[in-house]
Amino acid sequence: MWRITVANTCIASGSCVGIAPDRFELDDAEGRAHPVTTDVDPDDEAVLDAVASCPMEAISVVDLETGEPVEV
């Protein structure tokens, strides 16, 4: 499993939601995006594309089995 986190540096650009709408949503009250579900199956290309598109580099993904960050 992978764990998705979004840091407080998120500016709610919405690129992650546009790329992976089933994985991310915007929270108007918080003014940032957050994962719909924090733990997802590995090898989710849409999640990796969302990570790569984040202008603030606020999204991170960790492999729960190894504890290592997932490389984009």
Side-chain angles (χ1 to χ4, degrees), residues 18-71:
I19 292 170
D22 56 329
R23 298 290 184 215
F24 297 92
E25 59 189 8
L26 293 177
D27 185 332
D28 293 331
E30 289 185 22
R32 64 184 186 126
H34 62 87
V36 173
T37 304
T38 57
D39 295 349
V40 297
D41 289 327
D43 300 322
D44 190 325
E45 288 300 317
V47 169
L48 297 179
D49 290 344
V51 171
S53 76
C54 180
M56 299 304 292
E57 298 180 354
I59 305 169
S60 60
V61 180
V62 172
D63 185 319
L64 292 177
E65 187 173 310
T66 66
E68 296 292 321
V70 176
E71 296 296 322

